Structures are given as structure tokens and as C-alpha cells.
Amino acid sequence: TGGMDRIPGLLPRAAMIERCVEALQRLHDCNVDSLIDLTPFDLGRQAWLFEVVAARTPVNVVCATGVYRWVPSVYFEWDADEIAAHFSRDITEGIDGTTVKAGIIKLAWDLEYRLEEGGQRSPRAMLEKTARAAARTAKATGVPISCHTRAVDQLGTPLLDIFEDEGLDLRAVTIGHSNDTSDLDYLRSLARRGALVGLDRFFSVEPAYVAQRSGLALSLIRDGFAEQVCLGHDASPAGLWGRWREEPNPDCWTLVPKHEVGWLLQNGATEDEVDGVMRRSVRSTFEAAARMAGR
């Protein structure tokens, strides 16, 4: 949550920096040269941390503007264009007065989307308004959108409907956390509309877990969607959900390249298909967004 880093003793800065630097080095040792961090301001984004860590790591880190699940009250009286202008400043001018600029837009639709009480101030209405703002920002600035979604509620579908209504190229959209469901018909429907299917929750090296999560990716690859699938972790080395006292987890970003990619190759995926899900798919969503802005 934004502001937690200012609670004395909760998040020691020096230790945060060291954890991030070590984890990024281990990621780089796995031949990964870029990482996308999807932390908007209301989830605790810290521009100073990006600046310090960037000076000490060879990994290119892309940071985000946007909004998380519980839309802050500052947006309640703003219309979609006013919110889009706010997002755009993070991209074109910089974050928190720094030279760090956002390169992607984050949205998060979860259980709150079920809540309709309150009319135009209901959680659902606020999430839909900020989604329209994100679409307008993407079209104006040429950066893509990545969406945390509750996959079992198939929330990628109404998100894509809004983006389509806003005239967005759906190739510039990632529908994330999609491997929280095993409904391949739903996942194929997202890919058929042009979106990138984010299989971006990967937390364990237990064999059955690796096989289940990797099997979803392999099924989509075999359906011809290798370049519309991206893999990821949804993890942090600096502590998650306030559990700072956990043991350091410097390998939090190596599970995909070390274990999921290995499983895919051992079970019939080709090197070219793996390159599709690890590199070309992500590149394509940035390129699609750039084309909308004439870049």
C-alpha cells in the first residue's frame, strides 16, 4: 500500500535495495535482460528504489502507472479523461518529480468488480472508469496495458469489451493471472481476440505444480498462440503483503526460466516457441501500443 515505506522500521531501505539487486542479478544470470514491475502508486510504487537499483543492475526494469484493485477516492470526482491525463504524466514527464518514466499501464480487476452498489461510485463503476482512462492513455502515449484479473470470474472478457469500445488495439493488452484458471476455452477466447494471455503466477518448483502451470502454457502453444502468451512470476524479493520478516527470496524471479521453460522444452515445445512466449510476445504488445500513437 502506498505510504507503507514511511512507517518506521517496517521496510528497511538498505535491505530492500540489497534484496532487489541480488534477485535481479540472479535473473540476469538466467539470461533474462528485462523485467516488468506492475506496481502503481497506490500499491506502493517507489521511484527512489527504481533509481537506486537501476544504477546497480544490468537488468532493464520497466515500471508502471495505473491503479490497483481498490480505486483511490482521489479518482471519484475525476472523469476518465482527467484520470488519463494523470496516468500520462507518469509516462511523459516522470514519476514523483524524478526522471523515472512509466513504460506500461497497470489495472487490477478482482472481487471488487462484483460490487455494484453505489451507482457511479460503486467499485465496479470506478474500475470501469479507470479502464477507459487506461485505454485513452495507451492510445495517446503508445504504452501497453497489463491487467491483474480474477481469472475464475473471466474478467478479461469485460475488460476487452471496454478496450474494444474505446478503439484500442487489443494486441496492446495483457490479461494477467490467467493461469489461475484451467478453463482453456476462456484462455483461447482471449487470444483469439488478439490479447496477450499472461500466465504470470508461478511460485513453486513442486513437480505437480510445475506440470499443471506449464501444461496450460503448452496447450496454448500447441493451439498456435505462442506469441500471444507471456510467462511471469508475480513475486517480490523485498517482501510481499507486509511480510517483511520472511527469509530473503533472491530466486523469486528465476522459477520461470529455470523450471517452467525447462519443462516446456522437455515436453515438446521448441526453442522457437519458447522464444515466442519469453520474448516475441512481450515485444509485440509494446509494438502494438507504439503503433497506436504513431511511433
Side-chain angles (χ1 to χ4, degrees), residues 152-173:
V152 294
D153 286 353
Q154 301 190 357
L155 292 185
T157 300
L159 268 165
L160 293 183
D161 291 344
I162 288 175
F163 294 150
E164 201 165 51
D165 186 59
E166 289 287 333
L168 193 68
D169 183 347
L170 299 186
R171 290 173 295 180
V173 177

Side-chain angles (χ1 to χ4, degrees), residues 245-256:
R245 294 176 182 83
E246 289 180 337
E247 288 298 310
N249 183 20
D251 286 311
C252 66
W253 295 323
T254 68
L255 303 189
V256 166

